[in-house]
Amino acid sequence: MATNLESRRIMTKVARMYHSRGMRQTEISSLLGISQARVSRLLSSAEEANIVRTVVVIPDGLHAELEESLEARFGLTQAHVVEALDDSDESGLNRDLGDAAATIFAALTLDEQTVGFTSWSASLRSLSATLESARQTGRVRVVELLGDVGPPRMQHEATRATQRLADQIGATALFLRAPGVVASPAIRDAIVEQDAHIREALDALDNLDIALVGIGTCEIHLPLVPGDNFFSEEQFALAKSLGAVGQVNLRFLDAEGKPVVSELDDLVLGVTLPQLRAARRRIGVAGGSSKFEAVRAAVRGAWVDTLITDLRTAERLLAE
Amino acid sequence: MATNLESRRIMTKVARMYHSRGMRQTEISSLLGISQARVSRLLSSAEEANIVRTVVVIPDGLHAELEESLEARFGLTQAHVVEALDDSDESGLNRDLGDAAATIFAALTLDEQTVGFTSWSASLRSLSATLESARQTGRVRVVELLGDVGPPRMQHEATRATQRLADQIGATALFLRAPGVVASPAIRDAIVEQDAHIREALDALDNLDIALVGIGTCEIHLPLVPGDNFFSEEQFALAKSLGAVGQVNLRFLDAEGKPVVSELDDLVLGVTLPQLRAARRRIGVAGGSSKFEAVRAAVRGAWVDTLITDLRTAERLLAE
DNA sequence: GCGGTCGTAGAATATATATACAGAAACCCA
DNA sequence: TGGGTTTCTGTATATATATTCTACGACCGC
């Protein structure tokens, strides 16, 4: 369907008759002198064109007790427990978490702030896809918290997600279009020296107001490939041998949530743990059984003050 | 459907599966082990419970040329032209206008302000019914711009509309629960003297930031009855004999939009024209052929700086 | 100007959803 | 405890909606 003015007009008209007035398609078709099939198609187009928006508002407090317990136990500002629609489906879970995170993020007042965004995180990309903000904000900057990881396809998705988030909240995007993991500190320095945009982004990390952080395991899972702008098997093994059970934006944490310091830190182009800690709000969005230990480390170390996770992970976190 | 926690949980779950994931009802029913009929019913309940919200966003600029012409011709800050779904239906038009006004109103930043609200206006009541604000605002007050008009039923509706608007934007409501039109200035003074709430509301009218004003004809139309907290036939005739073609919150205007001053002014409990003029934003929501002259008077006199009206009225306003 | 291709329309129909109905469970009050 | 009442459920089916299919007109390239 072309999206010119006239077709938008008729789509809107039909959509209002159908959704706002509650008329049946046959009524509309006879009133407008078109076929019912056309009305049906116009309605699909209107959804396509985002003229009709259907949102499912997840009522607060469906899991209020769990959330309060999490907040109390780990000193969180806010905990949100999301019910996964399908426990076996990892990507579905990420969407569910991202949707919930979008609602929570949209409720934050943004004004002259710097928002850190982990664009490689699946659930956070889902956040940016879901977010629908009608309101313009003040001078806000969105800065990527970590360079690229994985294949070129993921770089594109990351860029799009960041841009989209920035667009939605009327912010400026600061990209970190560089490898997230490099082979040596020297390469890292060379990259930083060469590119002013990257320096700008890295500078912005010193003054984060809100951070949307990614939480991950110490494993390599598809579509990530060892060494593809990413740590190798050996490097992960090294981190684990030092006690790491998870990582926050590729900064390793042990079971207690304490930083696992190593030479690996110098290979990462992204936010450091002290920079992260300085952010006023640190929002972690992660769930699923594989990430359990990592999530636990992140909350134990207070690397996030807002956690959005799934029911099962929430229960496991409290089960001890 | 009871709205306890468990039923809300299942409603939300099904609604997410259906609307966010795009699953069919039969899929969901087999997955959850319930009948398709139940899924259908749960989805209805979810809409009922406002867990599923469907909004039709009217794209900007469908009538951009008209709107720009209106703005230029009458010196308006903003003009919005709404396409009526059914030209013959007055109440439908009011809903259409109210919906549009809700969108526009929601886009305004509210912060420590006083919002004047004309609670007897059908289109503005429709605004308050439509408005869905997720965001909490600062210390905002909503004050009624006019006392009651018409029968007790309308008073209830007016109160509800005002309360609802206040709730939606997290504001305090100042009610003007007194007759909008009294028989004599003495009665008016007596009422004001007696009731502190009314004095508080009237005081607030001196400092309006945003006014949602009602525009009306010089006729009596149902459900209004002459003299029922309202002007009589004779009083309207008097106003008309002095040149009035319409009124803004029961303050009469002539064809040029100039105030028609008379003894009638002292019988009205509500915002005065000077008070109205002092408001930073004055939003008028009115349309339909019967109100044409009144709308024209209001824009000519610049009693509104934002006009939301229907296509036909817009064309007529520009036709001269 | 003549096929070819594309996009769009409506009629017919397949599919999906809502509802009427009837049975079962829960509830209430005597 | 037992009938009356209400509420909930699933089955069967009516109704509403989406899609298939075919036809028609617009827009090419030759």
Side-chain angles (χ1 to χ4, degrees), chain A residues 5 8-9 12-13 15-17 19-21 51-57 59 61-63 83 85 92 95-96 106 135, chain B residues 5 8-9 12-13 15-17 19-21 51-59 61-63 83 85 92 95-96 106 135:
Chain A
L5 210 67
R8 289 170 75 83
R9 184 138 61 207
T12 309
K13 185 161 190 167
R16 285 202 297 151
M17 293 170 105
H19 292 288
S20 306
R21 288 277 184 90
I51 288 170
V52 172
R53 299 180 194 181
T54 304
V55 293
V56 179
V57 179
L62 282 188
H63 301 284
E83 200 160 335
L85 294 184
R95 277 197 45 191
D96 293 340
R135 195 170 309 235
Chain B
L5 210 67
R8 290 170 74 83
R9 182 137 64 208
T12 310
K13 185 161 190 167
R16 285 201 298 152
M17 293 171 106
H19 292 288
S20 307
R21 287 275 184 90
I51 289 170
V52 173
R53 299 180 194 183
T54 304
V55 293
V56 178
V57 179
I58 300 174
L62 282 187
H63 300 284
E83 202 161 338
L85 295 184
R95 279 197 43 191
D96 294 341
R135 196 169 307 235

Short mmCIF file of all heavy atoms in Angstrom, two decimals, chain A residues 5 8-9 12-13 15-17 19-21 51-57 59 61-63 83 85 92 95-96 106 135, chain B residues 5 8-9 12-13 15-17 19-21 51-59 61-63 83 85 92 95-96 106 135:
data_model
loop_
_atom_site.label_atom_id
_atom_site.label_comp_id
_atom_site.label_asym_id
_atom_site.label_seq_id
_atom_site.Cartn_x
_atom_site.Cartn_y
_atom_site.Cartn_z
N LEU A 5 -0.80 10.79 0.82
CA LEU A 5 -1.74 11.50 1.68
C LEU A 5 -3.14 10.90 1.60
O LEU A 5 -3.80 10.66 2.62
CB LEU A 5 -1.79 12.97 1.28
CG LEU A 5 -2.11 13.93 2.41
CD1 LEU A 5 -0.97 13.93 3.42
CD2 LEU A 5 -2.35 15.32 1.87
N ARG A 8 -3.51 7.55 3.24
CA ARG A 8 -3.45 7.70 4.69
C ARG A 8 -4.77 8.20 5.23
O ARG A 8 -5.23 7.80 6.30
CB ARG A 8 -2.34 8.66 5.09
CG ARG A 8 -0.96 8.09 4.88
CD ARG A 8 0.09 9.15 5.07
NE ARG A 8 0.29 9.48 6.46
CZ ARG A 8 1.06 8.79 7.28
NH1 ARG A 8 1.69 7.72 6.84
NH2 ARG A 8 1.21 9.14 8.53
N ARG A 9 -5.37 9.09 4.48
CA ARG A 9 -6.65 9.64 4.92
C ARG A 9 -7.70 8.55 5.02
O ARG A 9 -8.39 8.42 6.04
CB ARG A 9 -7.10 10.71 3.92
CG ARG A 9 -8.36 11.40 4.32
CD ARG A 9 -8.28 12.89 4.08
NE ARG A 9 -8.08 13.26 2.69
CZ ARG A 9 -7.49 14.38 2.29
NH1 ARG A 9 -7.00 15.24 3.17
NH2 ARG A 9 -7.34 14.66 1.03
N THR A 12 -6.99 6.12 7.84
CA THR A 12 -7.33 6.69 9.14
C THR A 12 -8.82 6.70 9.36
O THR A 12 -9.32 6.35 10.42
CB THR A 12 -6.80 8.14 9.22
OG1 THR A 12 -5.43 8.15 8.84
CG2 THR A 12 -6.92 8.67 10.63
N LYS A 13 -9.53 7.07 8.31
CA LYS A 13 -10.99 7.15 8.43
C LYS A 13 -11.57 5.78 8.77
O LYS A 13 -12.35 5.64 9.70
CB LYS A 13 -11.56 7.67 7.10
CG LYS A 13 -13.04 7.91 7.13
CD LYS A 13 -13.45 8.83 5.99
CE LYS A 13 -14.88 9.27 6.16
NZ LYS A 13 -15.23 10.40 5.27
N ALA A 15 -10.02 3.23 9.96
CA ALA A 15 -9.53 2.75 11.26
C ALA A 15 -10.33 3.38 12.40
O ALA A 15 -10.66 2.71 13.38
CB ALA A 15 -8.05 3.08 11.42
N ARG A 16 -10.66 4.64 12.25
CA ARG A 16 -11.44 5.27 13.31
C ARG A 16 -12.83 4.69 13.38
O ARG A 16 -13.38 4.46 14.46
CB ARG A 16 -11.51 6.78 13.08
CG ARG A 16 -10.20 7.49 13.43
CD ARG A 16 -10.44 8.95 13.70
NE ARG A 16 -10.95 9.63 12.52
CZ ARG A 16 -11.74 10.69 12.56
NH1 ARG A 16 -12.14 11.18 13.72
NH2 ARG A 16 -12.14 11.26 11.45
N MET A 17 -13.42 4.46 12.21
CA MET A 17 -14.76 3.88 12.21
C MET A 17 -14.75 2.51 12.86
O MET A 17 -15.64 2.15 13.63
CB MET A 17 -15.29 3.78 10.78
CG MET A 17 -15.54 5.12 10.14
SD MET A 17 -15.88 4.99 8.36
CE MET A 17 -17.63 5.27 8.30
N HIS A 19 -12.16 0.99 14.86
CA HIS A 19 -11.63 0.84 16.21
C HIS A 19 -12.27 1.80 17.22
O HIS A 19 -12.58 1.41 18.33
CB HIS A 19 -10.11 1.02 16.20
CG HIS A 19 -9.39 -0.07 15.50
ND1 HIS A 19 -9.26 -1.34 16.01
CD2 HIS A 19 -8.78 -0.09 14.30
CE1 HIS A 19 -8.59 -2.09 15.16
NE2 HIS A 19 -8.28 -1.37 14.11
N SER A 20 -12.46 3.05 16.83
CA SER A 20 -13.00 3.99 17.81
C SER A 20 -14.52 3.88 17.91
O SER A 20 -15.07 3.91 18.99
CB SER A 20 -12.61 5.42 17.45
OG SER A 20 -11.22 5.51 17.29
N ARG A 21 -15.15 3.76 16.76
CA ARG A 21 -16.61 3.71 16.78
C ARG A 21 -17.15 2.30 16.94
O ARG A 21 -18.33 2.12 17.20
CB ARG A 21 -17.16 4.28 15.47
CG ARG A 21 -17.03 5.77 15.34
CD ARG A 21 -18.17 6.48 16.06
NE ARG A 21 -18.06 7.89 15.82
CZ ARG A 21 -18.64 8.52 14.79
NH1 ARG A 21 -19.39 7.84 13.95
NH2 ARG A 21 -18.49 9.81 14.61
N ILE A 51 -0.76 3.58 12.09
CA ILE A 51 -1.86 4.49 12.40
C ILE A 51 -2.69 3.89 13.52
O ILE A 51 -3.17 4.58 14.39
CB ILE A 51 -2.70 4.75 11.13
CG1 ILE A 51 -1.90 5.62 10.16
CG2 ILE A 51 -4.03 5.41 11.47
CD1 ILE A 51 -2.52 5.74 8.79
N VAL A 52 -2.82 2.59 13.46
CA VAL A 52 -3.50 1.88 14.55
C VAL A 52 -2.44 1.24 15.43
O VAL A 52 -1.60 0.49 14.95
CB VAL A 52 -4.43 0.79 14.00
CG1 VAL A 52 -4.98 -0.05 15.13
CG2 VAL A 52 -5.54 1.41 13.20
N ARG A 53 -2.45 1.56 16.68
CA ARG A 53 -1.48 1.00 17.60
C ARG A 53 -2.20 0.25 18.70
O ARG A 53 -3.06 0.79 19.36
CB ARG A 53 -0.63 2.09 18.22
CG ARG A 53 0.14 2.86 17.18
CD ARG A 53 0.97 3.94 17.81
NE ARG A 53 1.43 4.85 16.76
CZ ARG A 53 2.20 5.89 16.96
NH1 ARG A 53 2.59 6.18 18.19
NH2 ARG A 53 2.57 6.67 15.97
N THR A 54 -1.81 -0.98 18.86
CA THR A 54 -2.41 -1.79 19.91
C THR A 54 -1.33 -2.13 20.90
O THR A 54 -0.33 -2.72 20.54
CB THR A 54 -3.01 -3.07 19.32
OG1 THR A 54 -3.93 -2.72 18.31
CG2 THR A 54 -3.73 -3.87 20.39
N VAL A 55 -1.51 -1.71 22.13
CA VAL A 55 -0.53 -2.05 23.14
C VAL A 55 -1.18 -2.86 24.24
O VAL A 55 -2.34 -2.65 24.58
CB VAL A 55 0.13 -0.80 23.75
CG1 VAL A 55 0.96 -0.07 22.73
CG2 VAL A 55 -0.92 0.12 24.33
N VAL A 56 -0.43 -3.80 24.73
CA VAL A 56 -0.88 -4.56 25.88
C VAL A 56 -0.16 -4.01 27.09
O VAL A 56 1.06 -4.10 27.19
CB VAL A 56 -0.58 -6.06 25.71
CG1 VAL A 56 -1.03 -6.83 26.93
CG2 VAL A 56 -1.25 -6.59 24.46
N VAL A 57 -0.91 -3.38 27.95
CA VAL A 57 -0.33 -2.80 29.15
C VAL A 57 -0.27 -3.87 30.21
O VAL A 57 -1.31 -4.43 30.58
CB VAL A 57 -1.19 -1.63 29.65
CG1 VAL A 57 -0.59 -1.04 30.90
CG2 VAL A 57 -1.33 -0.59 28.57
N PRO A 59 -0.36 -4.98 33.67
CA PRO A 59 -0.75 -4.33 34.91
C PRO A 59 0.35 -4.46 35.94
O PRO A 59 1.00 -5.49 36.02
CB PRO A 59 -2.00 -5.11 35.36
CG PRO A 59 -2.44 -5.89 34.17
CD PRO A 59 -1.22 -6.12 33.33
N GLY A 61 2.03 -4.98 39.47
CA GLY A 61 1.75 -5.72 40.68
C GLY A 61 1.22 -7.12 40.45
O GLY A 61 0.73 -7.74 41.37
N LEU A 62 1.34 -7.61 39.23
CA LEU A 62 0.95 -9.00 39.01
C LEU A 62 1.85 -9.90 39.84
O LEU A 62 1.45 -10.97 40.27
CB LEU A 62 1.08 -9.36 37.53
CG LEU A 62 -0.04 -8.88 36.62
CD1 LEU A 62 0.12 -9.47 35.22
CD2 LEU A 62 -1.39 -9.28 37.19
N HIS A 63 3.06 -9.44 40.03
CA HIS A 63 4.00 -10.22 40.83
C HIS A 63 4.59 -9.35 41.91
O HIS A 63 5.79 -9.37 42.16
CB HIS A 63 5.09 -10.79 39.92
CG HIS A 63 4.55 -11.67 38.85
ND1 HIS A 63 4.12 -12.94 39.08
CD2 HIS A 63 4.33 -11.44 37.54
CE1 HIS A 63 3.66 -13.47 37.96
NE2 HIS A 63 3.77 -12.57 37.00
N GLU A 83 6.28 -12.27 33.08
CA GLU A 83 5.92 -13.66 32.85
C GLU A 83 6.27 -14.03 31.42
O GLU A 83 5.75 -13.42 30.49
CB GLU A 83 4.43 -13.83 33.10
CG GLU A 83 4.02 -15.22 33.35
CD GLU A 83 2.67 -15.26 34.07
OE1 GLU A 83 2.34 -14.27 34.73
OE2 GLU A 83 1.97 -16.25 33.94
N LEU A 85 6.06 -15.87 28.04
CA LEU A 85 4.92 -16.54 27.41
C LEU A 85 5.27 -17.97 27.08
O LEU A 85 4.41 -18.83 27.05
CB LEU A 85 4.51 -15.78 26.13
CG LEU A 85 3.96 -14.38 26.38
CD1 LEU A 85 3.50 -13.77 25.08
CD2 LEU A 85 2.81 -14.43 27.36
N GLY A 92 11.82 -15.30 22.32
CA GLY A 92 10.55 -14.80 22.82
C GLY A 92 10.72 -14.14 24.17
O GLY A 92 10.18 -13.07 24.42
N ARG A 95 12.05 -10.71 23.78
CA ARG A 95 11.02 -9.76 23.38
C ARG A 95 10.16 -9.37 24.57
O ARG A 95 9.85 -8.19 24.77
CB ARG A 95 10.13 -10.37 22.29
CG ARG A 95 10.71 -10.26 20.91
CD ARG A 95 9.62 -10.48 19.88
NE ARG A 95 8.38 -9.76 20.20
CZ ARG A 95 7.23 -9.93 19.60
NH1 ARG A 95 7.13 -10.82 18.64
NH2 ARG A 95 6.17 -9.24 19.94
N ASP A 96 9.78 -10.36 25.34
CA ASP A 96 8.95 -10.07 26.50
C ASP A 96 9.65 -9.10 27.45
O ASP A 96 9.05 -8.14 27.93
CB ASP A 96 8.63 -11.37 27.26
CG ASP A 96 7.73 -12.29 26.43
OD1 ASP A 96 7.08 -11.81 25.50
OD2 ASP A 96 7.70 -13.49 26.73
N ALA A 106 9.99 4.24 29.23
CA ALA A 106 9.16 5.35 28.76
C ALA A 106 8.63 6.19 29.92
O ALA A 106 8.35 7.37 29.76
CB ALA A 106 8.00 4.82 27.92
N ARG A 135 6.25 12.00 23.01
CA ARG A 135 6.67 13.26 23.57
C ARG A 135 8.12 13.59 23.22
O ARG A 135 8.97 12.74 23.23
CB ARG A 135 6.53 13.15 25.09
CG ARG A 135 6.58 14.43 25.82
CD ARG A 135 6.18 14.11 27.22
NE ARG A 135 4.93 13.36 27.24
CZ ARG A 135 3.88 13.74 27.93
NH1 ARG A 135 3.90 14.83 28.63
NH2 ARG A 135 2.80 13.00 27.93
N LEU B 5 -6.40 -10.71 40.84
CA LEU B 5 -5.04 -10.82 40.33
C LEU B 5 -4.89 -11.94 39.32
O LEU B 5 -4.29 -11.76 38.25
CB LEU B 5 -4.10 -11.07 41.52
CG LEU B 5 -2.69 -10.53 41.35
CD1 LEU B 5 -2.73 -9.01 41.32
CD2 LEU B 5 -1.80 -11.02 42.46
N ARG B 8 -6.46 -11.20 35.99
CA ARG B 8 -5.68 -10.20 35.27
C ARG B 8 -4.44 -10.83 34.66
O ARG B 8 -4.04 -10.48 33.55
CB ARG B 8 -5.27 -9.07 36.21
CG ARG B 8 -6.43 -8.20 36.64
CD ARG B 8 -6.01 -7.27 37.74
NE ARG B 8 -5.18 -6.18 37.27
CZ ARG B 8 -5.66 -5.07 36.73
NH1 ARG B 8 -6.95 -4.91 36.60
NH2 ARG B 8 -4.85 -4.12 36.33
N ARG B 9 -3.86 -11.75 35.39
CA ARG B 9 -2.66 -12.41 34.89
C ARG B 9 -2.96 -13.18 33.60
O ARG B 9 -2.26 -13.03 32.61
CB ARG B 9 -2.13 -13.35 35.97
CG ARG B 9 -0.87 -14.05 35.61
CD ARG B 9 0.10 -14.07 36.76
NE ARG B 9 -0.38 -14.83 37.91
CZ ARG B 9 -0.02 -14.58 39.17
NH1 ARG B 9 0.83 -13.61 39.43
NH2 ARG B 9 -0.47 -15.31 40.16
N THR B 12 -3.77 -10.84 30.72
CA THR B 12 -2.56 -10.22 30.19
C THR B 12 -1.77 -11.20 29.35
O THR B 12 -1.29 -10.87 28.26
CB THR B 12 -1.68 -9.72 31.36
OG1 THR B 12 -2.49 -8.96 32.24
CG2 THR B 12 -0.55 -8.87 30.83
N LYS B 13 -1.68 -12.40 29.85
CA LYS B 13 -0.91 -13.41 29.14
C LYS B 13 -1.50 -13.67 27.77
O LYS B 13 -0.81 -13.64 26.75
CB LYS B 13 -0.90 -14.70 29.97
CG LYS B 13 -0.03 -15.79 29.40
CD LYS B 13 0.31 -16.81 30.48
CE LYS B 13 1.38 -17.78 30.00
NZ LYS B 13 1.93 -18.57 31.11
N ALA B 15 -3.55 -11.80 26.13
CA ALA B 15 -3.51 -10.58 25.30
C ALA B 15 -2.14 -10.41 24.67
O ALA B 15 -2.01 -10.02 23.51
CB ALA B 15 -3.87 -9.36 26.15
N ARG B 16 -1.10 -10.71 25.44
CA ARG B 16 0.23 -10.57 24.87
C ARG B 16 0.45 -11.59 23.77
O ARG B 16 1.04 -11.30 22.73
CB ARG B 16 1.29 -10.74 25.96
CG ARG B 16 1.38 -9.51 26.84
CD ARG B 16 2.71 -9.47 27.54
NE ARG B 16 2.90 -10.61 28.41
CZ ARG B 16 4.08 -11.14 28.73
NH1 ARG B 16 5.17 -10.63 28.23
NH2 ARG B 16 4.15 -12.17 29.53
N MET B 17 0.00 -12.82 24.02
CA MET B 17 0.18 -13.84 22.99
C MET B 17 -0.55 -13.44 21.71
O MET B 17 -0.05 -13.62 20.61
CB MET B 17 -0.36 -15.19 23.50
CG MET B 17 0.46 -15.76 24.64
SD MET B 17 -0.35 -17.19 25.39
CE MET B 17 0.66 -18.52 24.77
N HIS B 19 -1.90 -10.24 20.79
CA HIS B 19 -1.61 -8.96 20.16
C HIS B 19 -0.12 -8.74 19.90
O HIS B 19 0.25 -8.25 18.84
CB HIS B 19 -2.16 -7.82 21.02
CG HIS B 19 -3.65 -7.78 21.07
ND1 HIS B 19 -4.41 -7.39 19.99
CD2 HIS B 19 -4.53 -8.11 22.04
CE1 HIS B 19 -5.70 -7.47 20.31
NE2 HIS B 19 -5.79 -7.90 21.55
N SER B 20 0.71 -9.10 20.87
CA SER B 20 2.13 -8.83 20.66
C SER B 20 2.78 -9.92 19.81
O SER B 20 3.57 -9.62 18.93
CB SER B 20 2.86 -8.73 22.00
OG SER B 20 2.21 -7.80 22.84
N ARG B 21 2.43 -11.15 20.09
CA ARG B 21 3.06 -12.24 19.36
C ARG B 21 2.32 -12.58 18.07
O ARG B 21 2.84 -13.31 17.24
CB ARG B 21 3.11 -13.49 20.23
CG ARG B 21 4.10 -13.43 21.34
CD ARG B 21 5.48 -13.85 20.86
NE ARG B 21 6.39 -13.86 21.98
CZ ARG B 21 6.60 -14.92 22.75
NH1 ARG B 21 5.97 -16.04 22.50
NH2 ARG B 21 7.44 -14.85 23.75
N ILE B 51 -6.50 -3.45 29.58
CA ILE B 51 -5.16 -4.03 29.49
C ILE B 51 -4.70 -3.94 28.04
O ILE B 51 -3.54 -3.70 27.75
CB ILE B 51 -5.19 -5.49 29.99
CG1 ILE B 51 -5.38 -5.51 31.50
CG2 ILE B 51 -3.93 -6.24 29.58
CD1 ILE B 51 -5.66 -6.87 32.08
N VAL B 52 -5.63 -4.13 27.15
CA VAL B 52 -5.35 -3.93 25.72
C VAL B 52 -5.90 -2.58 25.30
O VAL B 52 -7.08 -2.30 25.50
CB VAL B 52 -6.00 -5.03 24.86
CG1 VAL B 52 -5.84 -4.72 23.39
CG2 VAL B 52 -5.42 -6.38 25.20
N ARG B 53 -5.04 -1.75 24.78
CA ARG B 53 -5.47 -0.42 24.36
C ARG B 53 -5.17 -0.26 22.89
O ARG B 53 -4.06 -0.45 22.43
CB ARG B 53 -4.74 0.66 25.14
CG ARG B 53 -5.01 0.57 26.62
CD ARG B 53 -4.26 1.65 27.38
NE ARG B 53 -4.30 1.30 28.79
CZ ARG B 53 -3.79 2.06 29.74
NH1 ARG B 53 -3.19 3.19 29.44
NH2 ARG B 53 -3.86 1.69 30.99
N THR B 54 -6.20 0.10 22.17
CA THR B 54 -6.02 0.31 20.74
C THR B 54 -6.30 1.77 20.45
O THR B 54 -7.38 2.28 20.74
CB THR B 54 -7.01 -0.56 19.94
OG1 THR B 54 -6.81 -1.92 20.31
CG2 THR B 54 -6.78 -0.41 18.46
N VAL B 55 -5.32 2.46 19.93
CA VAL B 55 -5.54 3.86 19.60
C VAL B 55 -5.32 4.07 18.10
O VAL B 55 -4.48 3.43 17.49
CB VAL B 55 -4.60 4.80 20.38
CG1 VAL B 55 -4.92 4.78 21.85
CG2 VAL B 55 -3.15 4.43 20.14
N VAL B 56 -6.12 4.93 17.56
CA VAL B 56 -5.93 5.32 16.16
C VAL B 56 -5.26 6.68 16.18
O VAL B 56 -5.85 7.66 16.63
CB VAL B 56 -7.27 5.38 15.42
CG1 VAL B 56 -7.06 5.82 13.99
CG2 VAL B 56 -7.97 4.04 15.49
N VAL B 57 -4.05 6.72 15.73
CA VAL B 57 -3.30 7.97 15.70
C VAL B 57 -3.61 8.67 14.39
O VAL B 57 -3.39 8.11 13.32
CB VAL B 57 -1.79 7.69 15.78
CG1 VAL B 57 -1.01 8.99 15.72
CG2 VAL B 57 -1.47 6.91 17.03
N ILE B 58 -4.15 9.85 14.51
CA ILE B 58 -4.47 10.57 13.28
C ILE B 58 -3.20 11.24 12.78
O ILE B 58 -2.63 12.08 13.46
CB ILE B 58 -5.56 11.61 13.56
CG1 ILE B 58 -6.81 10.87 14.05
CG2 ILE B 58 -5.87 12.41 12.31
CD1 ILE B 58 -7.92 11.78 14.49
N PRO B 59 -2.74 10.83 11.61
CA PRO B 59 -1.47 11.37 11.13
C PRO B 59 -1.58 12.88 10.97
O PRO B 59 -2.61 13.40 10.56
CB PRO B 59 -1.29 10.70 9.76
CG PRO B 59 -2.23 9.55 9.74
CD PRO B 59 -3.36 9.93 10.64
N GLY B 61 -1.06 16.46 9.39
CA GLY B 61 -0.92 17.03 8.05
C GLY B 61 -1.83 16.42 7.01
O GLY B 61 -1.65 16.64 5.82
N LEU B 62 -2.85 15.68 7.45
CA LEU B 62 -3.80 15.19 6.48
C LEU B 62 -4.50 16.37 5.82
O LEU B 62 -4.91 16.32 4.67
CB LEU B 62 -4.85 14.29 7.16
CG LEU B 62 -4.42 12.89 7.49
CD1 LEU B 62 -5.60 12.07 7.98
CD2 LEU B 62 -3.82 12.21 6.26
N HIS B 63 -4.62 17.43 6.56
CA HIS B 63 -5.27 18.62 6.03
C HIS B 63 -4.36 19.82 6.25
O HIS B 63 -4.80 20.89 6.65
CB HIS B 63 -6.62 18.83 6.72
CG HIS B 63 -7.55 17.68 6.53
ND1 HIS B 63 -8.21 17.47 5.35
CD2 HIS B 63 -7.90 16.68 7.34
CE1 HIS B 63 -8.94 16.38 5.46
NE2 HIS B 63 -8.77 15.87 6.66
N GLU B 83 -11.50 15.16 10.31
CA GLU B 83 -12.50 14.71 9.36
C GLU B 83 -13.61 14.01 10.15
O GLU B 83 -13.35 13.02 10.82
CB GLU B 83 -11.85 13.75 8.39
CG GLU B 83 -12.58 13.62 7.12
CD GLU B 83 -11.67 13.04 6.03
OE1 GLU B 83 -10.44 13.15 6.15
OE2 GLU B 83 -12.23 12.50 5.08
N LEU B 85 -16.52 11.58 10.81
CA LEU B 85 -16.81 10.29 10.20
C LEU B 85 -18.22 10.28 9.61
O LEU B 85 -18.49 9.60 8.64
CB LEU B 85 -16.68 9.17 11.23
CG LEU B 85 -15.26 8.97 11.75
CD1 LEU B 85 -15.23 7.78 12.69
CD2 LEU B 85 -14.30 8.75 10.60
N GLY B 92 -21.41 12.14 17.29
CA GLY B 92 -20.22 11.53 16.71
C GLY B 92 -19.15 12.57 16.45
O GLY B 92 -17.97 12.36 16.73
N ARG B 95 -17.35 13.44 19.55
CA ARG B 95 -16.35 12.43 19.90
C ARG B 95 -15.10 12.57 19.06
O ARG B 95 -13.98 12.50 19.56
CB ARG B 95 -16.93 11.02 19.71
CG ARG B 95 -17.79 10.56 20.86
CD ARG B 95 -17.98 9.07 20.80
NE ARG B 95 -16.74 8.36 20.47
CZ ARG B 95 -16.66 7.09 20.16
NH1 ARG B 95 -17.75 6.37 20.10
NH2 ARG B 95 -15.51 6.52 19.89
N ASP B 96 -15.31 12.77 17.78
CA ASP B 96 -14.17 12.91 16.89
C ASP B 96 -13.30 14.09 17.31
O ASP B 96 -12.07 14.00 17.36
CB ASP B 96 -14.65 13.12 15.45
CG ASP B 96 -15.35 11.88 14.90
OD1 ASP B 96 -15.15 10.79 15.46
OD2 ASP B 96 -16.09 12.02 13.90
N ALA B 106 -2.51 15.97 25.13
CA ALA B 106 -1.53 15.08 25.72
C ALA B 106 -0.11 15.48 25.34
O ALA B 106 0.84 15.21 26.06
CB ALA B 106 -1.80 13.63 25.30
N ARG B 135 2.07 9.34 32.01
CA ARG B 135 3.12 10.07 32.70
C ARG B 135 2.57 10.93 33.82
O ARG B 135 1.54 11.56 33.68
CB ARG B 135 3.80 10.95 31.64
CG ARG B 135 5.11 11.50 32.05
CD ARG B 135 5.73 12.10 30.82
NE ARG B 135 5.74 11.14 29.74
CZ ARG B 135 6.83 10.79 29.09
NH1 ARG B 135 7.98 11.33 29.37
NH2 ARG B 135 6.77 9.91 28.12
#
